[in-house]
Amino acid sequence: MSEQRRLRIFRGTRSSGELKEYAVEAGEGMVVLDAVHKIQAEQAPDLAVRWNCKAGKCGSCSAEVNGRPKLMCMTRLSDYPVEQPITITPMKAFPLVRDLVTDVSWNYEVNKRIPGFRPRTPDAPDGTWRMFQYEVERPQEFRKCIECFLCQDVCHVLRTHGKHQEFIGPAFLVRAAAYETHPLDVAERRDFLKTEGGIALCNITKCCTEVCPESITITDNAIIPLKERVVDAHYDPLAALWRKLTGKSND
Amino acid sequence: MGDVRSYEHDVLVIGAGGAGLRAAIEAAAHGAKVALICKSLLGKAHTVMAEGGAAAALGTVVDQDNWRVHFRDTMRGGKMHNNWRMAQIHAQEAPDRIRELEAWGALFDRTADGRINQRPFGGHTYQRLAHVGDRTGLEMIRVLQDKAVHAGVEVHMECTVIKVLVVDERAAGALGYFRETGRFALFRAGAVVLATGGIGKAWQVTSNSWEYTGDGHYLAYDAGAELIDMEFVQFHPTAMVWPPSVRGILVTEGVRGEGGVLRNSQGERFMFRYMPEMFKGDFAATEQEADAWVTGDRMKNRRPPELLTRDVVSKAIVKEIEDGRGTPHGGVFLDIASKRPADFIKQKLPSMYHQFKELADVDITKDPMEIGPTTHYVMGGVKVDAESQMSTVPGLFAAGEVAGGMHGANRLGGNSLSDLLVFGRRAGQHAAELAKRRGRPPASPRAAVDAAVQGALAPFERPTGENPFAVQAALQDVMQRKAGIVRDRSGLEQTLAELERLTERARHVGIAGSREYNPGWHTALDLRSLLAVSEMTARAALERTESRGAHTRGDHPDSDPKQERRQVVVRRDADRMTVRWEAQPELPADLAKLIKEGA
Ligand SMILES: Cc1cc2nc3c(=O)[nH]c(=O)nc-3n(C[C@H](O)[C@H](O)[C@H](O)COP(=O)(O)OP(=O)(O)OC[C@H]3O[C@@H](n4cnc5c(N)ncnc54)[C@H](O)[C@@H]3O)c2cc1C
Ligand code: SF4
Ligand code: SF4
Ligand code: FES
């Protein structure tokens, strides 16, 4: 079973570019990334695109398919009507490198600034800890993040307002939440989240949650609880003192 | 060398998977100034895709487990061909490396008493794989990535190394290009660690990504290092077969570890018929016994035969299909739906559930999966010293999948992730110590750098030359047909002849467009590595006139005890590839006894 599909792919650089239409023979089950690869192999060897796993595990192949942020390797051609061309453009919240590839290095810089993991002293004399499955499940949701940056791409604070200097974006609020909910972690991140993190800039539109390919409930499970903690920390001097003295959170 | 940017470090690590990251962390901990280079973005290396888990005799689930049992399993799984010292070090040090990850923030699944949980896997006597659902590699790489950047390791992403520089017969750095700009960069260093992963992109049906073109194997070969065991390529028994666009994508062994069973088109659990002599007595004899083991009684019952080593299961599947008992799309069935409740499957194997649902419209909690073998892992690689991971070129180290020896003729599932940690750490430590002893790296050989740059740019002078993707596809086609799961002499000779023709075609590929992020150009440059590793595999496979582990010769179906502890060594001699045989050191008496009599 194979049919002709039309793809309009952005080709160009930061200075100039256009949508170019390609026709491909599409086989059963094909995903957008397959079609892009077929075009690359047969018609346009210099078509720039990132990928690695082809199974939604590495978060490399992020782009916008008909304007929606998607992993190209997990987006089936058959989800789109055959009569219409499918439009594929690079993520908009980051500077373009070429074609479908954007410069996502800002994300790596942000990640470096988040205070890293610091464990409490070991629970057992052999230097190990005890944690229960119910305790690890919460952070495990956040640890599923594959760093595809689609949530960053869709968030209006970054996409529309370009506040990359003031806001770390949903992906790194998820990262911070992973640390903060880690049963062993005792590091302090509230000041960071409030100041450099810019957590107040998020106005809970939930667009990030909608696009996350890992179905992480970014807003409800990560951002809102973090916001609450930050507010507590900054308006309750007693709680802050308690944390300082014990190295523990007060919830 | 006008537009070549220059850097200087104590230790240069090429590759940012588990092995490279662990090496970089250790080298930095020893006070070295470290650069880490990778072809993709940080965190996207193959390690991120690992699903099932990391093997280590932690003994948190079964207290009888210890390094001796793990060592024995590894040697038997490797068909006694492993570098025994590496297998021993690995088994002894893996538990500490896993616990260390936990101290760095990894969140493994837990046992009821709050310790790291372990799951059963093929070839492991006891439950031994520390895991996080079916995304263990993601957890591991994230922890290592964060640890490395916080340790001050300098990371250069999307930078591909095309040459390791050798000065006075010692490794002294590497030349690479940035994919974004197409500009070249020279990294001078006192010691170089290769951690580039595998070669699976040389086959058509593969679980490996575009990165797995065997660059590290080629770079070492080009630098004059020796490689061993290149005939041993693991074909993983279970990958998706339908629809065509997902053929080769891995289905974790964790599915069988959690109770999944293999059936042919007649509904028969055929693995009971494929029990090798070596393992008779270790596995369940009936379906009842196997099912009882799955549902919990693991001391009184033996493991299901689905958990035999990968070489055995892959060959069994191929035979079933050949004999006409395959599924409509040329695979066999892997069924967990009839063995486990839906909630259990979704909790233990969430990404498999998602993968089949999204890509194949199959609900694995209701229906069986159609699966077949895929190219997965190379046991062969750079010959290294077991203690230090240094290759036969002083100053050049190798760790992880690019290094050879540890896994012998067949790797056990889960032994790679632990291998990366154990030997990545050792390579990083020894590289840092050596770099300190050597002082500042020597100036790089200008002529060699210029020649490498010129060679790399040559395809741009042939804008109408052949499309590099076409040559790559032709190479994958011949390797798939003639150097796949079952090989024979005439097929391998045809492969070598075809590779010669492809080498000629590769000399004439052309590139249009600019040097900026041009995948056609990247593919043209990767062809060199692909051709070299394919030739190594074909030559070594031709030499080994027996079947052992993952290497199956249709014309020599039996194992030959005389070849058990001998290995094929590949090396460059001027422009020619040479092969020779070498005897491996004998096992010390106590370890030989341990393997024979049990731990
Ligand atoms: C789908 C899948 C599932 C798996 N599941 C498991 C499992 O459950 N348990 C287990 O033990 N093993 C598993 N494996 C195997 C295991 O994941 C790999 O063997 C292992 O991750 C390899 O790690 P590495 O550090 O050697 O290399 P990789 O993680 O592959 O990293 C290689 C690095 O080298 C870089 N590189 C390559 N060439 C160059 C170059 N020329 N210049 C610069 N950089 C370069 C790449 O960019 C990358 O950063 C699985 C493999 C796959 C594909
Ligand atoms: S919920 Fe917050 S982080 Fe998410 S998209 Fe909206 S503003 Fe951005
Ligand atoms: S939180 Fe989700 S959308 Fe955002 S980077 Fe992680 S996986 Fe991608
Ligand atoms: S290629 Fe890895 S997520 Fe798409």
Side-chain angles (χ1 to χ4, degrees):
Chain A
M1 195 202 79
S2 109
E3 59 192 10
Q4 279 271 323
R5 298 292 310 230
R6 286 176 299 144
L7 270 73
R8 297 165 68 211
I9 302 179
F10 176 84
R11 301 295 315 266
T13 59
R14 237 169 270 188
S15 48
S16 68
E18 57 177 356
L19 286 175
K20 220 173 151 210
E21 188 161 313
Y22 299 89
V24 276
E25 208 55 48
E28 188 166 340
M30 247 163 97
V31 293
V32 170
L33 184 66
D34 292 322
V36 171
H37 276 154
K38 211 163 144 65
I39 292 164
Q40 188 187 54
E42 293 165 6
Q43 308 177 43
D46 65 341
L47 168 54
V49 57
R50 283 197 183 103
W51 72 283
N52 281 82
C53 68
K54 223 176 100 56
K57 295 189 167 65
C58 73
S60 302
C61 63
S62 309
E64 299 187 3
V65 181
N66 286 352
R68 290 280 300 161
K70 292 268 188 198
L71 293 178
M72 286 186 277
C73 72
M74 296 301 282
T75 307
R76 301 265 289 262
L77 292 175
S78 56
D79 294 345
Y80 299 87
V82 68
E83 319 77 59
Q84 272 163 32
I86 301 172
T87 303
I88 308 162
T89 47
M91 284 192 286
K92 214 171 146 187
F94 309 112
L96 185 66
V97 172
R98 216 163 72 74
D99 303 342
L100 300 177
V101 173
T102 52
D103 177 358
V104 291
S105 56
W106 168 79
N107 293 286
Y108 290 88
E109 293 307 318
V110 168
N111 185 38
K112 239 190 257 180
R113 301 203 315 259
I114 304 176
F117 172 74
R118 196 154 53 79
R120 69 177 184 228
T121 47
D123 302 334
D126 65 353
T128 59
W129 290 268
R130 296 292 174 272
M131 287 180 266
F132 296 94
Q133 190 64 32
Y134 71 85
E135 292 180 285
V136 301
E137 264 158 22
R138 220 166 127 218
Q140 277 182 345
E141 178 187 5
F142 309 133
R143 306 284 300 181
K144 286 193 306 186
C145 170
I146 55 174
E147 297 191 343
C148 65
F149 309 132
L150 290 173
C151 57
Q152 308 284 75
D153 185 44
V154 82
C155 174
H156 68 105
V157 182
L158 301 170
R159 186 186 180 96
T160 318
H161 306 292
K163 294 200 191 268
H164 295 68
Q165 295 312 315
E166 294 151 61
F167 183 50
I168 58 175
F172 295 103
L173 291 172
V174 167
R175 175 63 60 89
Y179 287 135
E180 289 286 298
T181 54
H182 192 302
L184 306 184
D185 181 78
V186 293
E188 178 54 61
R189 292 180 195 82
R190 289 172 229 218
D191 268 337
F192 169 84
L193 288 170
K194 183 174 163 144
T195 54
E196 278 187 74
I199 192 168
L201 287 170
C202 160
N203 58 347
I204 321 187
T205 58
K206 302 198 183 187
C207 315
C208 50
T209 305
E210 273 167 38
V211 300
C212 177
E214 286 291 308
S215 308
I216 300 172
T217 329
I218 304 177
T219 344
D220 290 357
N221 289 358
I223 300 180
I224 294 175
L226 280 183
K227 276 176 176 276
E228 283 165 1
R229 283 186 166 216
V230 167
V231 168
D232 281 356
H234 283 270
Y235 290 91
D236 185 351
L238 235 129
L241 185 70
W242 162 254
R243 268 196 318 279
K244 219 178 189 147
L245 293 174
T246 61
K248 286 201 182 78
S249 64
N250 55 334
D251 57 15
Chain B
M1 292 196 288
D3 77 337
V4 180
R5 204 160 157 193
S6 195
Y7 300 85
E8 185 183 320
H9 294 89
D10 301 324
V11 175
L12 173 68
V13 180
I14 307 172
L21 284 162
R22 189 62 190 84
I25 291 166
E26 195 66 16
H30 280 77
K33 187 172 170 238
V34 186
L36 178 65
I37 314 184
C38 51
K39 257 168 123 166
S40 286
L41 295 171
L42 188 60
K44 313 295 184 197
H46 256 74
T47 301
V48 79
M49 297 170 218
E51 296 159 358
L58 294 162
T60 55
V61 176
V62 181
D63 2 306
Q64 288 97 318
D65 202 12
N66 59 49
W67 77 262
R68 288 182 184 80
V69 190
H70 192 181
F71 167 77
R72 181 171 186 262
D73 289 345
T74 302
M75 292 295 296
R76 290 184 3 131
K79 305 298 170 294
M80 299 302 294
H81 183 70
N82 321 48
N83 177 321
W84 66 264
R85 181 62 186 141
M86 285 175 87
Q88 184 186 30
I89 291 174
H90 169 258
Q92 288 172 331
E93 295 183 1
D96 279 345
R97 297 287 79 75
I98 295 295
R99 285 192 284 260
E100 174 179 82
L101 277 190
E102 179 155 286
W104 294 348
L107 280 167
F108 293 105
D109 287 351
R110 318 306 298 176
T111 60
D113 66 349
R115 299 190 295 163
I116 297 174
N117 196 5
Q118 302 190 271
R119 79 161 29 123
F121 235 57
H124 293 281
T125 301
Y126 300 119
Q127 286 177 248
R128 192 178 280 144
L129 268 69
H131 62 278
V132 187
D134 54 4
R135 54 161 192 87
T136 314
L138 172 64
E139 183 70 10
M140 206 166 116
I141 204 162
R142 231 26 118 232
V143 167
L144 293 171
Q145 185 182 335
D146 282 355
K147 182 83 185 164
V149 297
H150 286 121
V153 171
E154 182 180 310
V155 182
H156 295 275
M157 306 193 287
E158 301 204 304
C159 176
T160 306
V161 169
I162 56 171
K163 192 166 187 70
V164 166
L165 299 164
V166 179
V167 179
D168 297 334
E169 291 172 16
R170 290 157 152 228
L175 175 75
Y177 65 88
F178 289 106
R179 294 170 67 209
E180 175 172 344
T181 57
R183 296 231 177 85
F184 293 90
L186 189 61
F187 297 89
R188 290 163 54 232
V192 177
V193 180
L194 289 171
T196 50
I199 68 170
K201 203 61 192 163
W203 285 262
Q204 209 165 45
V205 179
T206 179
S207 66
N208 295 176
S209 84
W210 71 273
E211 292 198 304
Y212 263 29
T213 49
D215 291 6
H217 292 77
Y218 167 76
L219 293 168
Y221 168 82
D222 180 59
E226 290 185 335
L227 289 99
I228 51 168
D229 293 342
M230 290 301 288
E231 66 276 35
F232 295 113
V233 176
Q234 179 167 76
F235 297 91
H236 192 292
T238 61
M240 297 175 83
V241 297
W242 188 260
S245 68
V246 299
R247 195 173 189 108
I249 294 182
L250 198 75
V251 178
T252 176
E253 191 166 316
V255 176
R256 284 170 286 140
E258 298 296 351
V261 300
L262 292 165
R263 291 186 208 279
N264 59 24
S265 58
Q266 291 158 13
E268 180 205 8
R269 262 181 92 172
F270 57 85
M271 281 311 299
F272 287 97
R273 282 192 279 110
Y274 291 92
M275 195 79 69
E277 209 43 57
M278 190 198 235
F279 293 108
K280 276 213 171 108
D282 292 353
F283 285 82
T286 63
E287 289 197 32
Q288 285 84 340
E289 184 181 355
D291 288 347
W293 182 91
V294 166
T295 47
D297 196 350
R298 298 205 165 155
M299 286 296 129
K300 279 207 220 74
N301 297 287
R302 291 165 298 177
R303 290 170 277 166
E306 277 85 2
L307 291 177
L308 278 155
T309 55
R310 289 176 178 177
D311 50 336
V312 176
V313 181
S314 282
K315 276 180 255 181
I317 292 173
V318 170
K319 184 86 175 75
E320 287 301 301
I321 298 169
E322 247 173 37
D323 291 354
R325 291 185 293 272
T327 62
H329 300 113
V332 295
F333 292 114
L334 171 61
D335 165 32
I336 189 162
S338 70
K339 296 284 169 191
R340 293 288 197 179
D343 287 347
F344 177 92
I345 298 170
K346 284 189 205 163
Q347 190 221 331
K348 291 284 187 180
L349 303 161
S351 77
M352 285 303 108
Y353 173 74
H354 186 65
Q355 182 175 312
F356 272 90
K357 191 122 191 137
E358 295 295 317
L359 296 174
D361 298 320
V362 170
D363 180 346
I364 69 168
T365 66
K366 297 205 177 80
D367 295 307
M369 301 162 243
E370 264 184 276
I371 56 89
T374 190
T375 315
H376 186 56
Y377 183 91
V378 61
M379 273 68 72
V382 181
K383 186 180 169 194
V384 291
D385 170 58
E387 313 290 332
S388 70
Q389 297 292 105
M390 191 158 86
S391 74
T392 53
V393 172
L396 183 63
F397 297 76
E401 193 169 339
V402 68
M406 155 74 207
H407 306 284
N410 173 61
R411 173 177 72 89
L412 294 187
N415 269 3
S416 171
L417 291 185
S418 41
D419 163 2
L420 310 181
L421 298 170
V422 167
F423 294 107
R425 172 178 159 277
R426 282 182 167 253
Q429 176 194 336
H430 289 276
E433 285 168 0
L434 181 77
K436 206 174 286 169
R437 284 202 300 277
R438 285 176 76 181
R440 289 193 60 184
S444 21
R446 183 160 184 163
V449 172
D450 286 345
V453 168
Q454 257 169 34
L457 292 175
F460 286 105
E461 288 155 25
R462 301 182 289 261
T464 56
E466 188 176 6
N467 179 347
F469 287 103
V471 180
Q472 191 194 60
L475 178 142
Q476 291 162 339
D477 177 62
V478 65
M479 291 301 284
Q480 187 73 32
R481 283 186 297 112
K482 310 274 183 193
I485 302 183
V486 183
R487 303 104 182 237
D488 61 29
R489 184 196 170 98
S490 85
L492 291 166
E493 284 171 349
Q494 287 163 30
T495 307
L496 285 168
E498 186 58 31
L499 288 173
E500 216 167 289
R501 284 191 286 275
L502 289 167
T503 305
E504 196 47 36
R505 275 169 71 183
R507 284 202 191 99
H508 299 285
V509 295
I511 297 300
S514 80
R515 272 160 70 175
E516 284 162 31
Y517 221 110
N518 187 333
W521 183 39
H522 307 158
T523 303
L525 295 179
D526 291 347
L527 280 177
R528 223 176 30 170
S529 321
L530 274 178
L531 284 160
V533 293
S534 300
E535 184 178 342
M536 289 176 204
T537 299
R539 285 199 188 282
L542 196 55
E543 283 292 310
R544 184 169 292 279
T545 48
E546 64 158 350
S547 293
R548 175 174 304 279
H551 170 69
T552 306
R553 283 279 300 256
D555 49 352
H556 295 279
D558 297 321
S559 291
D560 170 7
K562 288 201 291 297
Q563 298 186 40
E564 180 176 281
R565 299 289 301 157
R566 285 166 59 78
Q567 54 196 175
V568 182
V569 182
V570 178
R571 209 195 139 166
R572 183 171 68 82
D573 181 9
D575 280 343
R576 232 165 37 88
M577 192 177 285
T578 63
V579 292
R580 68 180 173 85
W581 282 88
E582 190 176 84
Q584 294 197 64
E586 283 309 313
L587 266 76
D590 58 327
L591 294 182
K593 185 159 170 269
L594 187 159
I595 289 168
K596 219 174 177 167
E597 296 172 6

